[in-house]
């Protein structure tokens, strides 16, 4: 898979254009910093069209989390790492793809759901729930491969669900740390964090020992 392949198809209709505008604006300036007027201007629609599709800005935030989840979920579901025969290679392939996707400025690779959640987890329960569903849905998509890798390697003391949540913990934390850096260093900071995650799984599933075996 080419890392810069678009996550989402070209938007069709006013609703999709507003959601696509939301992705770009929220990544760049946050949910609170994005106004309805800015969304309409970026989408090329009227404010009347906005309120035809969304009862409020909060309603757009809820829909945006779902839009992000559906589009990114489809992207990862079609990724070539699924074709690996060994579960551990599928898990490492997923992390490799996440590393490859971290490039440019943070607004080009950060998570819309994670960004909205950081701002809205105490001010909007509907947005919090929608973002939780997006992030945890991404985690659950990795659970089957993790469960198989755990069984294959004889790992004890953890579960696929717990490891899947840890993957999201590192990914979301990597995005936050990347945002804290000078733009020229942000992507490298994010990739570094995900590289440590990869090495953790190599050690957990004894891949380092396998690679060094005679």
């Amino acid at each position: 898979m080419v890392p810069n392949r678009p996550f989402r198809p070209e938007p069709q209709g006013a609703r999709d254009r507003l959601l696509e505008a939301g992705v770009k604006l929220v990544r760049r300036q946050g949910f609170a910093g994005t106004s309805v007027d800015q969304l309409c201007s970026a989408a090329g629609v009227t404010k009347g069209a906005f309120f035809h599709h969304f009862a409020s800005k909060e309603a757009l935030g809820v829909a945006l989390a779902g839009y992000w989840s559906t589009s990114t979920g489809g992207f990862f579901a079609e990724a070539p790492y699924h074709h690996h025969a060994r579960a551990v290679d599928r898990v490492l392939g997923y992390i490799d793809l996440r590393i490859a996707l971290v490039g440019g400025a943070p607004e080009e690779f950060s998570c819309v759901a994670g960004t909205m959640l950081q701002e809205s987890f105490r001010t909007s329960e509907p947005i919090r729930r929608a973002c939780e569903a997006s992030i945890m849905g991404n985690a659950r998509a990795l659970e089957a491969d993790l469960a198989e890798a755990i069984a294959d390697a004889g790992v004890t003391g953890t579960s696929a669900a717990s490891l899947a949540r840890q993957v999201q913990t590192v990914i979301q934390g990597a995005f936050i740390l990347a945002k804290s850096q000078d733009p020229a260093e942000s992507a490298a900071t994010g990739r570094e964090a995900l590289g440590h995650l990869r090495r953790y799984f190599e050690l957990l599933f004894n891949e380092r020992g396998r690679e060094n075996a005679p």
Side-chain angles (χ1 to χ4, degrees):
M1 172 175 290
V2 178
N4 65 357
R5 175 194 145 190
F7 277 113
R8 303 166 301 284
E10 200 64 30
Q12 303 295 320
R15 187 178 189 277
D16 283 351
R17 292 203 301 275
L18 284 162
L19 290 169
E20 190 59 31
V23 167
K24 294 173 182 175
L25 290 171
V26 167
R27 275 175 141 184
R28 186 169 69 235
Q29 60 196 43
F31 184 73
T34 297
S35 68
V36 171
D37 285 338
Q38 288 174 320
L39 287 162
C40 292
S41 176
V45 303
T46 65
K47 191 175 283 190
F50 178 94
F51 287 108
H52 172 75
H53 292 288
F54 304 105
S56 63
K57 183 185 168 188
E58 180 181 59
L60 175 129
V62 171
L64 186 57
Y67 176 73
W68 178 252
S69 183
T70 298
S71 56
T72 56
F75 178 89
F76 286 109
E78 296 175 1
Y81 66 81
H82 292 290
H83 301 309
H84 290 302
R86 298 170 68 235
V88 65
D89 291 330
R90 296 195 294 273
V91 172
L92 296 177
Y94 170 80
I95 298 171
D96 287 340
L97 177 57
R98 298 301 308 229
I99 292 171
L101 289 168
V102 177
E107 56 266 32
E108 297 176 59
F109 60 79
S110 57
C111 175
V112 171
T115 299
M116 289 198 298
L117 187 60
Q118 291 162 38
E119 295 184 63
S120 307
F121 76 105
R122 284 290 180 264
T123 58
S124 173
E125 181 61 12
I127 290 177
R128 185 201 66 76
R129 289 197 305 267
C131 292
E132 187 272 343
S134 177
I135 294 169
M136 291 299 103
N138 196 302
R140 284 189 291 273
L142 198 58
E143 283 186 25
D145 286 337
L146 283 167
E148 188 176 335
I150 287 171
D152 290 344
V155 173
T156 60
T158 189
S159 68
S162 179
L163 288 177
R165 289 191 295 271
Q166 179 62 17
V167 170
Q168 282 300 308
T169 298
V170 176
I171 289 171
Q172 296 297 332
F175 293 156
I176 292 173
L177 285 177
K179 292 174 182 176
S180 76
Q181 301 301 299
D182 181 275
E185 302 297 328
S186 59
T189 299
R191 288 193 298 269
E192 177 186 67
L194 296 180
H196 288 308
L197 177 66
R198 191 189 201 283
R199 282 186 287 275
Y200 168 73
F201 279 116
E202 288 175 346
L203 293 169
L204 181 66
F205 296 126
N206 201 30
E207 288 301 291
R208 286 291 175 94
R210 181 175 178 271
E211 289 172 3
N212 296 329

